[in-house]
Amino acid sequence: MRPVLIALLLVASLAPVPLALAQNTKPPAKATAPAQDSPLPTLNMVEPQRDGDAVYTYYREEVAAGRCPAGLVKKNNACGAPIPAKQAWKMDQPLPDGVAGEALPAALIAKLSPSPAGYQYLRVDNDILIVGLGSRNVAALVADLSRL
């Protein structure tokens, strides 16, 4: 009985592949090169809500204490966010050459989540952003101070 089973398995393994199975197999798809004009990939960095809340709390406390933090202007004996003419930055794009961001106060940075490797927190006009160190790409908007 055993030699018969071995012979049957040997014959079955040597049989040609049925034509129907051979026709359904497709060659692997060729890898295509990315298009030259495709935009840069988006960073899709999501900043925790607690960081935005920490920024608003920090600036509200500074204003309540009578101090006008950098980035805010004195308006009728109160501090407020200046109204910029136009937003100077775009998400997932580098900051324009003429736009200089300012580092956040150390007391505020201590309340925020650590910035991702290769990124830093910057204040640009009324906005607190996460920006790439070398590329200056805007990765995330943490808070908009004009909403104070």
Side-chain angles (χ1 to χ4, degrees):
M1 177 85 169
R2 197 178 240 184
V4 174
L5 284 174
I6 293 174
L8 260 160
L9 288 173
L10 182 61
V11 169
S13 67
L14 295 176
V17 176
L19 186 58
L21 282 177
Q23 289 175 346
N24 285 340
T25 59
K26 295 179 182 176
K30 293 182 182 178
T32 58
Q36 294 295 333
D37 357 334
S38 66
L40 294 173
T42 58
L43 301 172
N44 293 327
M45 187 178 295
V46 178
E47 193 59 26
Q49 179 64 37
R50 73 174 196 84
D51 285 348
D53 294 343
V55 169
Y56 292 126
T57 301
Y58 173 82
Y59 280 104
R60 285 183 185 126
E61 288 173 358
E62 290 292 300
V63 170
R67 295 183 293 271
C68 234
L72 301 179
V73 294
K74 200 99 162 148
K75 295 180 186 176
N76 301 328
N77 294 331
C79 295
I83 301 171
K86 180 182 170 189
Q87 184 175 345
W89 58 270
K90 292 182 182 177
M91 193 66 72
D92 293 330
Q93 298 293 318
L95 289 174
D97 290 333
V99 176
E102 294 181 23
L104 299 182
L108 175 56
I109 290 177
K111 296 178 181 183
L112 300 174
S113 302
S115 59
Y119 292 89
Q120 66 180 348
Y121 289 101
L122 284 181
R123 185 182 59 78
V124 175
D125 295 330
N126 291 333
D127 301 318
I128 306 297
L129 306 172
I130 295 181
V131 178
L133 288 174
S135 65
R136 292 177 38 103
N137 275 354
V138 177
L141 170 66
V142 178
D144 179 2
L145 297 180
S146 64
R147 294 179 32 199
L148 281 177

